[in-house]
Amino acid sequence: MAEQSDTLADIVVRVLDVKRYYGSGEAVTKALDGISLDIFRGEYLSIMGPSGSGKSTLFNMIGGIDSPTEGMVFMDEIDLAQLDSYELAWMRCHKIGYIFQSYNILPVLTALENVSLPMIFAGLSADDAREKAAGILHKVGLGERLFHRPYELSGGQQQRVAVARAIANDPVIILADEPTANLDVDTGREMISLLRQLRDKDGVTVIAATHDMKMLDASDRILWIRDGRADRLERREDLDIRIGHIDGHAL
């Protein structure tokens, strides 16, 4: 990754003192309790923490899926809270590619149709969308599976379809929510490698919410979240990794 600087041009996402509370009074749950973070263009950031730590909530804030109770989220210097529903839909379609833990590919469509669909929604003709989708599926190693439906594909192949769909509209950011959770160890490593290739070759910013410690080797930086707060933010090369421990913390 290119050396980072603090200029706005180098920052694709800016999170400013974001809080997300559910409920009220004594029953309030602080899913996020004041997180600030700059995410740079072309980096691979892993958001890590135990279940209930707030990492998925932060992930949803960055993707415009949910809105903060307090604070602001900027993407390319645009305050997401200021966008109307049409503008937010446009942003999600053109700027962000989503990869979900449960794949979320449509079971009645072939791999080619699943990947073509977001391009058609974005205004590409059906023929052009199919041609581009075929190229993307070849890129992710599914050139021989264009006309297979999800039930005819392995879990790893379904996740590759999800990756292909995520990059269909040439997004600036890929948001990956537990992308290896439903995969075996070897397939999980293949998925991490594929995400890293997208970052290295296409300059895409990858933001992954994950429990998977294998993500560490692919990451440029790791944000550790605990109890809705940023516990620590570290660069990969600064981590002291030993068997069973990272920086003195038990795995």
Side-chain angles (χ1 to χ4, degrees):
M1 183 177 66
E3 184 177 351
Q4 297 168 349
S5 71
D6 292 330
T7 65
L8 288 178
D10 297 316
I11 297 170
V12 67
V13 173
R14 173 159 285 183
V15 178
L16 297 178
D17 197 25
V18 164
K19 300 176 182 179
R20 186 65 171 102
Y21 299 161
Y22 298 97
S24 59
E26 294 183 0
V28 69
T29 298
K30 297 180 178 181
L32 293 177
D33 196 22
I35 286 185
S36 295
L37 173 70
D38 289 340
I39 302 173
F40 297 90
R41 296 182 189 281
E43 79 165 323
Y44 193 129
L45 175 75
S46 289
I47 303 171
M48 306 194 79
S51 295
S53 61
K55 65 181 183 299
S56 292
T57 304
L58 177 59
F59 180 92
N60 290 340
M61 297 293 144
I62 294 170
I65 297 171
D66 196 1
S67 299
T69 303
E70 296 179 23
M72 294 180 289
V73 179
F74 293 87
M75 183 174 296
D76 277 342
E77 303 182 48
I78 298 170
D79 182 357
L80 296 185
Q82 300 304 312
L83 301 180
D84 60 29
S85 57
Y86 175 83
E87 292 168 331
L88 195 54
W90 187 95
M91 180 77 77
R92 290 178 186 140
C93 184
H94 292 85
K95 292 269 190 177
I96 306 169
Y98 297 91
I99 303 171
F100 297 99
Q101 178 178 345
S102 57
Y103 315 141
N104 284 9
I105 55 178
L106 298 175
V108 297
L109 300 183
T110 65
L112 186 67
E113 290 166 338
N114 266 287
V115 179
S116 299
L117 198 59
M119 291 186 266
I120 294 171
F121 286 157
L124 207 62
S125 71
D127 287 343
D128 287 344
R130 282 193 293 270
E131 181 177 353
K132 184 177 179 183
I136 295 171
L137 286 165
H138 277 278
K139 181 177 182 178
V140 301
L142 291 178
E144 304 300 319
R145 298 289 188 270
L146 301 184
F147 304 106
H148 288 64
R149 288 180 169 79
Y151 68 87
E152 299 173 302
L153 302 172
S154 68
Q157 290 170 336
Q158 290 181 52
Q159 189 66 300
R160 284 177 179 268
V161 174
V163 171
R165 183 188 56 192
I167 63 175
N169 287 327
D170 305 310
V172 176
I173 295 170
I174 291 178
L175 288 174
D177 188 11
E178 299 286 2
T180 62
N182 294 326
L183 305 177
D184 61 49
V185 172
D186 289 340
T187 308
R189 290 186 187 280
E190 291 175 5
M191 182 54 51
I192 294 169
S193 177
L194 177 57
L195 290 173
R196 184 70 185 193
Q197 288 174 31
L198 293 172
R199 169 245 181 268
D200 289 342
K201 294 182 180 179
D202 299 337
V204 177
T205 301
V206 178
I207 304 170
T210 181
H211 286 94
D212 192 344
M213 290 297 175
K214 295 191 299 298
M215 284 281 189
L216 290 176
D217 278 338
S219 305
D220 295 304
R221 293 189 298 161
I222 302 95
L223 174 67
W224 305 85
I225 293 184
R226 187 176 298 275
D227 298 327
R229 292 179 173 271
D231 186 35
R232 61 196 193 278
L233 177 63
E234 299 172 303
R235 296 181 62 87
R236 168 63 183 87
E237 59 264 32
D238 295 332
L239 288 178
D240 176 19
I241 301 177
R242 294 184 301 275
I243 296 174
H245 292 79
I246 296 177
D247 281 359
H249 297 263
L251 300 182

